[in-house]
Structures are given as C-alpha cells and as structure tokens.
Amino acid sequence: GYTVKQRKPVTGSYQGYGVKSMPPPSSGGVLLVQMLGVLEGFDLKGHGYDSAWTVHRMAESMKRAYAMRAKGLGDPDHHTVDNADYMGAKVIKRLKSEVAASKRATPSAKIGQVVVRPEERTDTSHFGVLMANGDAVGCTQTINLLYGSGRMAGKTGVVLNNEMDDFSALPGAPNAFGLVGDVANAVAPGKRPLSSMTPTILLKDGRAVGVFGTPGGSTIITTTLQSILNVVTHGMDVSAAIGAPRVHHQWYPESLLIEEDALSPDTRAILRGLGHTFKPREPYGNAMALWRLEDGTLTGAADPRGEGTAGGVGDVPQDGLTGATP
Ligand code: DON
C-alpha cells in the first residue's frame, strides 16, 4: 500500500539565509530550524566554534529540541503535528530565554520525564527447576542472535532460529562469537550446527542436587564450568558462585577474556609472568544455579548481571528456599 508522498519543505531562516529542509515525518527540518532560530540569538562567532560558551548553548538548545521531538513528533498523516509548535516565533523565543538563563547544564529530567523501560536482553534463555522430590530440569533455548531468522512460525508467536552461524562457514573463520571450526561442523543438508548450550544437572548418589546453565554464546560452557567449580570445589553458596567475576578462554582469540573485577592485580601479574595475556570484557552471561544442601534445603540464585530471578513454589522443604534474587 506504499505510495510516494510529496510534501512541502519546512522553511526558516538563519543569519540572512533562507532555510528549506525536510518536513515531518522527519523531525530533521523542524528541529534544525528551531535550533538555528534559538542559536541565532547568541554571539557564537564572538566566542568561537568550540568554546565552552558556544558548546554549552548548543547543548542546551539540542536537548530541548530532542525532548520536544520525543514527546510530540510522528507521522503527520496519523498524528496532528503543527510545525509552528516546534519552530514558530513563540517557541523559539521561549527556548532562547531558557537557554540564556541556563547557567549550568540543565538535567534532562528537568526538561521532561521519560518512561525508562527495563532493558530486555537479546540473550538466549536458560531456566532450571529443582524439586524436593528429586525431579530436576535444566533447559536452555536459543534462537542465536536478535530475533533469530526474523521469521515466525505461522501465527504462533514462536520466532524461528537462525543457527546457521553456529556452523563453521570456513575452516578457521570465526563466527559471531569468535569461535572457529572445521569440516566436522561444516554446513550440510539435514545437519545440525554445533552448539555451546550447556544445561546441566549434577547428581549425588543418583539424585539431582544441582542445576546449572546460562546464555552467552561461546562463553556458556566456561560460565557453567565456573559456576559448578565455585559451588562444588570452592564451597561458595549459589549467589556467590553465580556473582563471582569470570574468566574465559576459547583457544582463539589467544587472550584470556576477563571481566573487569576478575583477578587481583597480583594474580594478573603472576599470570602475565606465566605468559598469559588478557582482554577485558564487559560483564557477560546470565547464569543460574540451583543447589540442594546436605540438609535438603533448596537454594537458588540468578545472575546479578541479568534479569533472571530465583524463587520457590509449592511444597518447599521446611527451611524454605534461600539464595539471591537480583
Ligand atoms: O547454541 C549456541 O551455542 C548459540 N546459538 C548460543 C547463542 C547465545 O547464547 C546468544 N545469547 N547470548
């Protein structure tokens, strides 16, 4: 149903020049004419193009323009937009006096409130269940990267994956997670790509005592490894085990990837002395761990880096479910 629309440009003026620019549904023209109008009132030339005086006034004018864009602008065929509200003499006069009065940077929140939505991560998802009766589930699901293949199965709402990048496209060529592969993982009809997903259940005397897992592409395996080591070997409770800074090595790149807080300066120095090199990494992964203590208490923790949570329902043992929920 798309048709080309011809629209009238927005018009304004600046220091003796006529200005014609793109009208809504671009916000460009109205904001540009507004900011030029506001800044025309200040001696920018006298203060220099990159002086603090000039940049302060530009910034004050810009943030007001973009706040107005956010609140009011949209496709004029669907939403009434009066360009004069954005670039008319009245609004320019008001903004000019606000900018002139701003002795310091105006906090954005003072210009207008915005609903800040919690960021939804694009990760693969992992969840686990550990039950008093010994049943356990470890489940990781992946569509690989953002929106998978961008296709939905019919009207189900189920987004189809795009796992082709989990194949080795060419021996030695890294994929999106920097993983290299060889012919064993080459693309072929009917073949499933190599995954790093590691949903894991730990058993003691045949009974499930722990559930571990995380998203994180190539780092999934080493994150799960460290979660288990932290609980089983280092005796950490599940919250500490999941929260602890992580290190990761995947052969190539050759460096040890380390989260910012990982390893003390002396540990780093000793490792450097052993020939290790480091590559700092933003916090990664969104791990979870469930662990049955010897007295039967079920404990659970979700990653403070992520948006998960741990909780207990139903027939929880007497001592209840302990552990952190971020
Ligand atoms: O199966 C795999 O190894 C990848 N498709 C996982 C991708 C992933 O974890 C992305 N999100 N963090």
Side-chain angles (χ1 to χ4, degrees):
Y2 185 84
T3 51
V4 172
K5 288 225 167 181
Q6 242 177 330
R7 300 180 195 270
K8 279 204 175 93
V10 294
T11 57
S13 65
Y14 182 69
Q15 293 190 339
Y17 292 89
V19 178
K20 281 186 193 290
S21 190
M22 186 163 174
S26 175
S27 57
V30 285
L31 260 58
L32 178 72
V33 170
Q34 177 194 105
M35 291 186 289
L36 287 173
V38 170
L39 294 169
E40 196 173 30
F42 298 96
D43 180 18
L44 305 188
K45 185 174 169 59
H47 288 85
Y49 88 99
D50 63 349
S51 66
W53 194 97
T54 295
V55 175
H56 174 66
R57 277 142 193 91
M58 286 199 308
E60 289 297 302
S61 153
M62 288 170 181
K63 64 178 88 160
R64 285 171 174 78
Y66 277 75
M68 292 179 77
R69 174 193 200 276
K71 290 281 175 207
L73 288 178
D75 184 346
D77 291 342
H78 293 257
H79 168 85
T80 313
V81 176
D82 184 351
N83 293 351
D85 290 344
Y86 297 85
M87 42 178 266
K90 211 167 132 195
V91 69
I92 287 182
K93 190 173 167 213
R94 172 173 70 77
L95 292 169
K96 226 183 252 179
S97 66
E98 277 185 34
V99 172
S102 302
K103 299 292 170 232
R104 300 181 56 77
T106 311
S108 293
K110 233 181 136 185
I111 292 170
Q113 292 299 323
V114 73
V115 184
V116 180
R117 297 198 182 284
E119 200 180 318
E120 190 182 349
R121 296 171 54 139
T122 59
D123 285 329
T124 292
S125 309
H126 177 86
F127 70 86
V129 180
L130 184 60
M131 289 178 59
N133 70 1
D135 287 347
V137 179
C139 174
T140 312
Q141 76 80 24
T142 182
I143 53 171
N144 204 30
L145 302 172
L146 186 63
Y147 283 110
S149 60
R151 304 253 161 208
M152 186 166 76
K155 291 183 176 170
T156 61
V158 176
V159 179
L160 299 178
N161 73 48
N162 180 8
E163 297 297 323
M164 290 304 284
D165 187 62
D166 279 345
F167 278 118
S168 168
L170 199 67
N175 76 352
F177 298 98
L179 288 168
V180 288
D182 215 317
V183 287
N185 188 35
V187 185
K191 194 171 171 186
R192 288 179 165 80
L194 199 61
S195 172
S196 299
M197 292 186 288
T198 320
T200 302
I201 296 173
L202 256 63
L203 304 127
K204 182 91 181 196
D205 303 324
R207 189 161 181 247
V209 292
V211 181
F212 296 86
T214 183
S218 59
T219 62
I220 291 175
I221 314 168
T222 56
T223 295
T224 307
L225 170 77
Q226 287 163 95
S227 305
I228 294 172
L229 292 178
N230 288 348
V231 172
V232 174
T233 304
H234 301 300
M236 294 183 201
D237 65 38
V238 278
S239 320
I242 294 302
R246 299 180 182 128
V247 302
H248 172 74
H249 206 304
Q250 60 181 48
W251 182 35
Y252 283 103
E254 193 157 358
S255 301
L256 188 63
L257 303 180
I258 51 172
E259 285 187 325
E260 282 156 27
D261 314 345
L263 311 180
S264 65
D266 56 330
T267 304
R268 290 187 192 195
I270 294 167
L271 287 168
R272 270 199 198 95
L274 295 176
H276 291 280
T277 55
F278 303 118
K279 219 174 181 172
R281 245 192 96 146
E282 295 287 302
Y284 61 87
N286 189 8
M288 52 128 298
L290 301 169
W291 189 249
R292 185 192 309 278
L293 302 182
E294 282 190 2
D295 67 359
T297 306
L298 298 175
T299 65
D303 205 322
R305 300 163 184 80
E307 61 198 350
T309 185
V313 288
D315 193 11
V316 177
Q318 226 181 353
D319 288 346
L321 186 134
T322 63
T325 61

